[in-house]
Amino acid sequence: MLTFLSRYANWLHLQWPGGEVESLPKVDDDFRTNVDGVYVVGDLAGVPLLKFSVDGGVRAVRDLVDRGRVAEGAKAPDDVVILGAGASGMAAAREARKQGLSFTVLESRRRFATIRDFQKGKPIYTYPNDMTPAGDLQVSATVKEELVDELEAQTEDIPVHHGEAYRIDEGADGLAVVTTDGDRIRGRNVIVAIGRSGNFRSLDVPGEDKEHVHHRLYDPTRCAGDDVVVIGGGDSATEAAIALTEAGARVTLSYRRDELVRPKPENVERVHELVEAPQGDGRLTLQMPTDVEEIRDESVRLSTEAGQTGVKADHVFAMIGREAPLDFFRRSGITLHNDWGDVPDSLQEAISSLAWVKDLRWDRIAAFAAFFFFMVGVYSWKDGGWVGQWAQAAEVFPFGWSPSADGTGLVDVVLTSMQKPGFYYTLAYSAIVVIFGIKRIRRRKTPYIRVQTMTLMVIQVLPLFILPEIILPWFAKNGLLPTAFLDALFPTSEYAVHGRQYWRAYGFILAWPLFIWNVFSTDPLWWWLGICFVQTFVLIPGMIYFWGKGAYCGWICSCGALAETLGDQHREKMPHGDGWNKLNLAGQVIMVVVFALLFLRIGSWIWPGSWAGAAFRAGLYGGGVGLGYSWLVDVMLAGMVGYGVYFWLSGRVWCRFFCPLAALMHIYHRFSRFRILADKKKCISCNVCTSVCHQGIDVMHFAQQGKPMEDPECVRCSACVQSCPTGVLEFGQVDGNGQIVHRDALEASLTRIQEKNGQAA
Ligand SMILES: Cc1cc2nc3c(=O)[nH]c(=O)nc-3n(C[C@H](O)[C@H](O)[C@H](O)COP(=O)(O)OP(=O)(O)OC[C@H]3O[C@@H](n4cnc5c(N)ncnc54)[C@H](O)[C@@H]3O)c2cc1C
Ligand code: SF4
Ligand code: SF4
């Protein structure tokens, strides 16, 4: 049984890697951080490519000018202090000069240090080919030396001051950059362009700090005739291994996976050519999959699948990537994505690590608190609880409005609907979806987003609000709907303000088992049972077969509507990783429980008065303790947890982990033709697609291998497609053999850069 369950979990959710997301400073579309006047550009703003770095530096300067954050005439302090004289910092400086601003560039090593550190003759890929960065600084060179000359020639008149920025202070007299020497450089604005060059990832093995261990390759010819171990599986590692082999070194490439999936295809191809080439002076051997155990003076110990082995090494190049200088940002109070911080060692550190508190938006907290208490009020009112009783006694809610005696006019119907809390709840929900939906359409200008968001708004407003609150009661009161139809779908109730349960109309959109109440009724509602059966077991699987689970979750469902609109700017907060992927299975457990309740409900209809009815009620309402499915799942998980963590863990927590309908759809989705297709050649492994996925999918894992993305968690939000800087991804369909049979016409193929260049449709 356990083996079966683990195979099932693997098939459904766990076979793909979790894909961690790196912490990076949180910047908006104009590169602003949470500290007013501080911008972060270049590699630290997300896309590690030269053209994006140059583009970002220029745009940040233009933004601070547009916002009037500069002084008239030459007044101290400088308009802007630029930290880092790399591609983005120098592009910013050149733009600042063009705009007539006063500025200081502070550099800890030397101009274009990162690029100068590239190995001799390194090929340069100036992706995306059709992108022209903003500003005057341009890059077109194809090898490192030409690139340095080209950048120097365009910036030689820009002075650079030596110094290492330690933190940025925000005081009463404005911003000040504090250096490691204790100097303070004041500025009206600060552009942080310090890249990631100084922070190499650690292998965390003994011997890593030995002198012959390097993180950069300067000149491969210095290793000619020597034994070299290169550690890593990305472009830097493969390019280093190629250059060293071609320079005449005996190279071993150690990588922890059994395949090179991340580097550019031309690098992988060259690696394999060199491995198979006749053994000359330079040789390349692959040791994959291997983990480094220890670095010794003349060798490296690797653990392989067969046991341990030693490899001779005069030089070791550990090229496993670089990290953002997070401490600099924490010291400066700049908010990071996904930063839960470390356990502080001292009170002072504890206080400074609470920088995130500054970012707490009290308006959001107040809005959430109001919403939370309103929810409590709604539930309590519905059940005649203390909030409802208090509200009635104190006449807090304006429910005393009275419609006219016959009650058939449109205004009468609206006034009557307004006598119950559900009206306000749905009105508030719909208003949020519409307001934030319009913002999303303005922010992400792609045809796909426009049509998707408008569909979500219309569905939320019409069938989920106006239909049950106004249209149905008004039609019914004016005799426009047959009584048999009303009796079948909207039974009478003494508690309903219009005398009938029009709220059941939610069932037209919200399918069972997300919306359970049309199926879990005391007596069977045959029409609803038919509708629910067709929705859940015919229409939804059919839709999913062609367009994936997202056809429902991203285009129809009201939980999805809120997540894609109010949650649009919080999608990067969804936690990623293998551990979180395991929590995806929670929905499967809830789905099993809801099916068990269904069988009990059917049993209680067939055998009235039997134990099935008592068991059903205990399961749904929790018997005496009240901790049944309706409270634990509907109220706690969907309501309190789902909405409670909206601004901290993204808007899709309920959808990803707990929704029983989504859990069922995950199974359907495994048989779907829908895929996110990837053009592997264009992928630069920047991880942007993974970081924006609010369903926690490691999209980059598929893109790097050029494999169609098949993870059933996908809700078709298109964030990955739209955010990919090099246009790698698109929606499509594959046949049973995995061959592409269709590319979606309304796909979000516009990349971020096309938008910024004004090429958006
Ligand atoms: C091995 C390698 C190969 C690459 N190949 C390509 C390629 O082929 N094509 C491509 O488009 N991109 C490539 N890139 C990416 C490209 O180099 C970066 O996108 C670009 O250099 C980023 O520019 P930046 O200004 O953000 O940072 P950087 O160029 O890293 O500049 C940051 C500067 O800040 C300085 N600095 C750091 N800390 C401080 C501090 N505390 N105070 C003051 N100064 C500081 C550094 O010394 C450095 O000069 C490659 C990167 C690497 C590492
Ligand atoms: S597919 Fe993902 S990792 Fe590859 S370039 Fe696009 S955003 Fe970056
Ligand atoms: S479309 Fe992309 S970002 Fe959105 S859920 Fe699917 S994989 Fe994630």
Side-chain angles (χ1 to χ4, degrees), residues 47-49 678-680 682-690 692 699-704 720-721 723-729:
V47 184
L49 282 177
D679 182 354
K680 174 185 170 165
K682 291 202 258 166
C683 178
I684 54 160
S685 302
C686 64
N687 212 24
V688 169
C689 50
T690 298
V692 296
V699 189
M700 183 176 82
H701 163 79
F702 296 91
Q704 284 174 330
C720 57
V721 181
S723 306
C724 172
T726 52
V728 173
L729 306 167

Side-chain angles (χ1 to χ4, degrees), residues 42-43 48-50 53 84 86-88 107-108 114 118 122 125 165 193-195:
D43 270 8
L49 282 177
L50 287 162
S53 300
S88 56
E107 164 61 46
S108 60
T114 302
F118 289 176
K122 173 188 155 14
Y125 305 91
I194 58 179

